[in-house]
Amino acid sequence: MGNKKTILSGIQATGNLTLGNYLGAIKNWIKMQDEYDCYYMIADLHSLTVRNDPEVLRKRALQVLAIYVAAGLDPDKNTIFLQSHVDAHVKLNWILNCYTYMGELNRMTQFKDKSAKHADNINSGLFTYPVLMAADILVYNADLVPVGEDQRQHLEITRDIAERFNSIYGETFVIPEAFIGEQGARIMGLQDPTAKMSKSATNLNDVIFLNDNPEDIRKKLKKAVTDSENCVHYDKENKPGVSNLMTIYGLLEEKTMQEIEKEFVGKGYGDFKSAVAEAIVKKLQPLQQKYCELLENPKELKTIYEKGAKKAADRADPIVKDVYQKVGLIVNE
Ligand code: TRP
């Protein structure tokens, strides 16, 4: 630890993780594990803002944990845990609720989108979702929060809440910064390359799931939307489909857009798409194997999340105590 900067991030336990989650988030986290003090959680409490089958939710939470580890996050180097296992999150969440304005939450575009999508269940958890997210971050005094572009507004409100609290009670929280990678942050859908690849997409051909088999991956790539130019060239505006596939290929093969353009000079989309499919298959096969091994070994997963929860609580509990003291609660030592 020493003077390493602290990182916190998380992914919800709703739905199967996608290639977008891997390339946009987890792959970048792995690069950070030596340089930073990293906290990676499974945001299972956030998942409750939509209705779930309880058994499915429990299963999904373990699957996300298994993906983290299978993808290369080392449980000895990082603190990997379930959000619901660290009480400090919900304690701070309540306090921060009392320092967040309805008007601020009303401006959140994700709330508007999600309430349009779940018109039958616009619960107050969905509304205060960003406050729990602020608690997740501030309870570790995280310096940096790697997130996708879609979470930028939630980071802004976290900073506002932290600054507000600090200005009333004195220096308490570190003001966190969003850490948004250049390319990885936004992998788009294969069918609609103008919208983010989403694990809740209704058209399954739009999404590569991390547990898709090679045949499905090849099929989905064949069907991916491109354009009529038949020329592999990066142009996000005019060729969003091809540009997205190039981004995926570039991240997997560590190639620049120029290198990819050169590689496919004189070749058509058919060749290009099958190269992208094979790059995905090559990357996912070892990950899937490790993932299956972990899921068959629940004891190992339990050891990982128990250790993670303890390490997380050791860091978060004193911060909550400090906050309780500052706002005027009697701290029970
Ligand atoms: N809201 C995030 C998402 O859907 C998940 C999340 C919850 C998160 N708590 C967080 C991300 C704290 C970063 C930090 O992607």
Side-chain angles (χ1 to χ4, degrees), residues 8-12 41 43 46 129 133 136-137 145 147 151:
L8 175 123
S9 198
I11 296 179
Q12 280 201 52
M41 63 171 195
H46 276 114
Y129 181 112
M133 186 159 156
D136 298 336
I137 297 165
V145 185
V147 282
Q151 297 296 313

Side-chain angles (χ1 to χ4, degrees), residues 266-283:
K267 294 185 186 160
Y269 289 159
D271 286 344
F272 174 54
K273 283 176 165 185
S274 62
V276 180
E278 293 321 307
I280 298 172
V281 168
K282 190 175 80 189
K283 189 69 175 188

